[in-house]
Amino acid sequence: MSKRKVSIEDIARRAGVSHSTVSRALRDNPLISPKVREEIKQLAREMSYVPNAIAQSLLSSRTNTIGVVVTSIADPFFAEVVEGIEQVATSSGLSVVLSTSHRDLKQEIAAIDNFHRRRVDGILVADSRISKQHTKQLTQIAVPTILINSQAEDQSEIFHSVAIDDRLGARLAVEHLVSLGHTSIGYLGVGDRSRSNQQRLEGYRIALAEAGLPQIDDWVAINDQDKTRTSDVSTGRKMLSKLLTAGVTGIFCYNDMVAVGALLACQELGISVPRDLSLVGFDGIALSRYVTPPLTTICQPMLEMGSFAMQMLLDLVQDKTVENRVLSPFLVQRGSSAVFRNNHK
Amino acid sequence: MSKRKVSIEDIARRAGVSHSTVSRALRDNPLISPKVREEIKQLAREMSYVPNAIAQSLLSSRTNTIGVVVTSIADPFFAEVVEGIEQVATSSGLSVVLSTSHRDLKQEIAAIDNFHRRRVDGILVADSRISKQHTKQLTQIAVPTILINSQAEDQSEIFHSVAIDDRLGARLAVEHLVSLGHTSIGYLGVGDRSRSNQQRLEGYRIALAEAGLPQIDDWVAINDQDKTRTSDVSTGRKMLSKLLTAGVTGIFCYNDMVAVGALLACQELGISVPRDLSLVGFDGIALSRYVTPPLTTICQPMLEMGSFAMQMLLDLVQDKTVENRVLSPFLVQRGSSAVFRNNHK
DNA sequence: ATGAAAGCGCTAACAT
DNA sequence: ATGTTAGCGCTTTCAT
């Protein structure tokens, strides 16, 4: 329970050698005779010496640490991404410092700034809100940085990135509903200014157009309480009826949480999914398998996105050149979507 | 995009003063005349100076960092706890380094060791497996450490702790089922050697005894594939039928994930919950509200456990005395439990 | 009000 | 094979 930590010099004093000899012995420098090397190592153990990584970092200017910014750690999507990050970070001997942005640019920048001060070796930002105008101040200090699913309207080309193809995902979702015979297909989105919502809406529109289906304004429901950003579940729950009265028989939801909210609303209204209404989600979080019926959804390879981004960052740290990557989502068909039949006589 | 970082000395050179003057100016030391102070600050801004926290730490021997060990970040329970930790850490200017143990003592110790080397100011360990025998090596280096829901059979008294009252929770669950008229009540547990499983089983037994109900061995199902620790959901799904054939009408599940697995199995078997069978979970994760029927469950205040533990750690870091805390879980009644009626004629 | 110098714990180039 | 010295970037006496 020694309060003061033991240093390399303490060991040197006890061993009657210089502190550099201790340093060498501990690092298996071949110059040190095997005998004293073992003696010193033994002594270090007895004195329960713990090397000071701070001092090492100051010298090497490497902290073996990467910073990760997510909007919330309790969000199952990011939790999964972070899991992927953590796996490859750990296996490469890197520690992960976690910060949350809560979808707020100010907090995001503060987090990144903090990482810069701490001299992390690299930074990963999920759902970044950083656009071109902010990049200047942030790139002054050259820390390898990768954006995962950047949400900025005008994303800077300065940072590297890995992202999901939102438009493709949306098209897969809508094409799936079309293939089931649905012709009145709605989009249930979220009202933050996120790029992914825009892109999914676009993909939805493109798919409708390609299928020769009409585009009705009332078939698109977006929760526009920008500020109080309610939970995705309650967004889905509240907005469902709007689409229902517009007469859709199939709905593509912004994500699984929104779909779950819609599902809940259906249960309250006595609407049977998928008999009366087909629902398609996005993300493929674990939860989507456990609701009743299980959600048909567009899966993002969350774990892979994390591990891939981390691998990219590793390359970047080693001055390798890396290429930005757009990953393709894929449809997983489950119980919430079914062939359209006109139940309403 | 300057590769080399600018230091306090660079600023000093440009300002024609000594580096200590710069240091003082930047830290608003009143000795520096307001005029030069502003000049230096302005210069620092222009040169986009970012203070080196590593150098500061070496000097102050404070890293403003705490280490957190969880079994998995993708587990909704720990995600919520970490969220609570992160909230109070951030508001106190502390960064959080995250590590995972995967319920493995070796990995847990490695993570803690790593934290020691990095000289974190404090450590939080969730689901710790550390027992008395390991404490010696770990307490040599005096870093304030708090265990959250320690799972060790013989928990060391050396560390501080915050934990949920598992036995109480189990009793609440069983008493709830008893109050609904159930007399054949099972326990569906997990087969790792965790303390919480033991305690919940104990609580279950105590509650049965107090209710004057018999204890039947076949009413307790525990997945004993210790090694390949399958997911909790599949544990619940696989073990349900065993309890069903034993004739129980109500089941207390180790946690919500196990309950979800049981629920899934019921759907496959055409058993109606809660009409044919009542299910009670544990934890109160978000998911428990979204399955059909929503789970009656014993809630742990996950967010609070995290923020409370972090608050405790903060006190510990400031040499205040803290008291270990056992939190009380509470019953939340939802759709998965109902009054017993003999449906089977 | 400012500069010079010491030192946090470590590694490595430079002696010997 | 081992010791001496310098220095990583910063804060903080101690002089002036």
Side-chain angles (χ1 to χ4, degrees), chain A residues 31-334:
Chain A
L31 291 180
I32 303 297
S33 73
K35 187 169 131 276
V36 298
R37 187 195 310 176
E38 274 319 309
E39 285 172 10
I40 288 177
K41 283 193 173 186
Q42 176 57 28
L43 198 50
R45 232 170 288 130
E46 283 169 16
M47 300 173 71
S48 54
Y49 167 71
V50 179
N52 186 330
I54 298 295
Q56 293 173 323
S57 289
L58 185 56
L59 202 50
S60 66
S61 51
R62 286 213 26 7
T63 52
N64 297 312
T65 299
I66 64 128
V68 175
V69 187
V70 295
T71 61
S72 157
I73 189 56
D75 183 316
F77 180 84
F78 296 112
E80 196 78 25
V81 172
V82 172
E83 178 92 17
I85 293 171
E86 218 269 343
Q87 279 174 15
V88 359
T90 298
S91 71
S92 309
L94 297 180
S95 290
V96 172
V97 190
L98 200 68
S99 265
T100 53
S101 67
H102 305 285
R103 293 197 172 74
D104 179 56
L105 181 60
K106 287 266 179 303
Q107 294 182 58
E108 178 184 343
I109 291 180
I112 295 176
D113 226 66
N114 181 24
F115 288 157
H116 284 172
R117 273 188 289 101
R118 302 188 105 94
R119 298 293 191 266
V120 297
D121 297 333
I123 297 176
L124 254 24
V125 187
D127 248 52
S128 173
R129 252 69 180 173
I130 295 183
S131 56
K132 282 177 179 153
Q133 51 187 127
H134 309 290
T135 48
K136 207 172 57 198
Q137 61 173 116
L138 290 173
T139 44
Q140 304 269 12
I141 179 153
V143 179
T145 300
I146 295 179
L147 272 24
I148 301 174
N149 281 355
S150 170
Q151 297 298 337
E153 298 284 349
D154 61 330
Q155 191 193 321
S156 150
E157 308 87 2
I158 298 183
F159 295 118
H160 291 269
S161 67
V162 6
I164 199 74
D165 191 337
D166 284 307
R167 223 174 307 187
L168 169 61
R171 291 177 54 180
L172 292 176
V174 174
E175 283 165 10
H176 169 64
L177 289 170
V178 169
S179 78
L180 291 173
H182 293 272
T183 51
S184 307
I185 299 172
Y187 175 65
L188 184 31
V190 292
D192 57 359
R193 289 242 128 270
S194 71
R195 211 178 88 101
S196 52
N197 185 62
Q198 290 302 318
Q199 300 267 302
R200 289 175 200 180
L201 180 53
E202 265 183 55
Y204 158 83
R205 292 213 162 105
I206 292 170
L208 282 189
E210 285 182 353
L213 259 23
Q215 309 217 10
I216 316 283
D217 279 355
D218 286 350
W219 288 358
V220 173
I222 288 183
N223 188 14
D224 249 331
Q225 292 137 238
D226 218 38
K227 288 300 115 195
T228 45
R229 173 82 160 126
T230 62
S231 84
D232 289 341
V233 172
S234 56
T235 294
R237 215 162 62 87
K238 277 180 202 136
M239 307 298 286
L240 178 77
S241 58
K242 181 166 176 284
L243 290 180
L244 240 31
T245 53
V248 304
T249 64
I251 299 178
F252 165 47
C253 300
Y254 171 73
N255 68 12
D256 290 339
M257 283 308 212
V258 170
V260 167
L263 202 54
L264 257 30
C266 285
Q267 291 174 359
E268 288 166 12
L269 298 170
I271 292 171
S272 164
V273 175
R275 211 194 53 205
D276 304 333
L277 179 71
S278 283
L279 247 29
V280 179
F282 205 110
D283 284 356
I285 58 178
L287 170 53
S288 68
R289 283 197 305 272
Y290 302 138
V291 292
T292 306
L295 288 179
T296 293
T297 192
I298 305 298
C299 286
Q300 301 195 50
M302 300 170 281
L303 206 86
E304 287 74 14
M305 293 191 75
S307 55
F308 189 83
M310 186 61 226
Q311 192 57 60
M312 240 170 104
L313 188 57
L314 237 37
D315 289 346
L316 224 45
V317 168
Q318 296 164 29
D319 284 318
K320 297 185 191 164
T321 58
V322 303
E323 283 198 17
N324 293 344
R325 177 85 166 262
V326 176
L327 299 173
S328 296
F330 54 92
L331 174 77
V332 170
Q333 188 169 356
R334 291 196 282 243

Side-chain angles (χ1 to χ4, degrees), chain B residues 192-262:
Chain B
D192 56 359
R193 289 242 127 270
S194 71
R195 211 178 88 101
S196 53
N197 185 61
Q198 290 301 319
Q199 300 266 303
R200 289 175 200 181
L201 180 53
E202 267 182 54
Y204 158 82
R205 292 211 163 106
I206 292 170
L208 284 188
E210 285 182 352
L213 259 23
Q215 309 217 8
I216 316 285
D217 278 354
D218 286 349
W219 289 357
V220 173
I222 288 184
N223 187 15
D224 250 330
Q225 292 136 241
D226 217 39
K227 287 302 113 193
T228 45
R229 173 82 161 127
T230 62
S231 84
D232 288 341
V233 173
S234 55
T235 295
R237 216 161 62 86
K238 278 180 202 135
M239 306 299 284
L240 177 78
S241 58
K242 181 166 177 285
L243 289 180
L244 239 32
T245 53
V248 303
T249 64
I251 299 178
F252 165 47
C253 300
Y254 170 72
N255 68 14
D256 291 338
M257 283 309 213
V258 170
V260 167

Side-chain angles (χ1 to χ4, degrees), chain B residues 17-21 24 31 33 36 59:
Chain B
V17 296
S18 77
H19 74 278
S20 37
T21 300
R24 285 194 265 252
L31 290 181
S33 72
V36 298
L59 204 50

Side-chain angles (χ1 to χ4, degrees), chain B residues 117-225:
Chain B
R117 273 189 289 100
R118 299 189 108 93
R119 299 293 191 268
V120 298
D121 297 332
I123 297 176
L124 254 24
V125 187
D127 248 52
S128 174
R129 252 68 180 176
I130 296 183
S131 55
K132 282 178 179 153
Q133 53 187 125
H134 310 290
T135 48
K136 207 172 58 199
Q137 62 173 114
L138 290 172
T139 44
Q140 304 269 13
I141 178 152
V143 178
T145 300
I146 295 178
L147 273 25
I148 302 174
N149 281 355
S150 169
Q151 298 297 337
E153 298 283 348
D154 61 330
Q155 191 194 322
S156 150
E157 308 87 0
I158 297 182
F159 295 117
H160 292 269
S161 67
V162 4
I164 200 73
D165 191 335
D166 284 306
R167 222 174 307 187
L168 170 61
R171 290 177 54 179
L172 292 176
V174 174
E175 283 166 10
H176 169 64
L177 289 170
V178 169
S179 79
L180 291 173
H182 293 271
T183 51
S184 306
I185 299 172
Y187 176 65
L188 182 33
V190 293
D192 56 359
R193 289 242 127 270
S194 71
R195 211 178 88 101
S196 53
N197 185 61
Q198 290 301 319
Q199 300 266 303
R200 289 175 200 181
L201 180 53
E202 267 182 54
Y204 158 82
R205 292 211 163 106
I206 292 170
L208 284 188
E210 285 182 352
L213 259 23
Q215 309 217 8
I216 316 285
D217 278 354
D218 286 349
W219 289 357
V220 173
I222 288 184
N223 187 15
D224 250 330
Q225 292 136 241

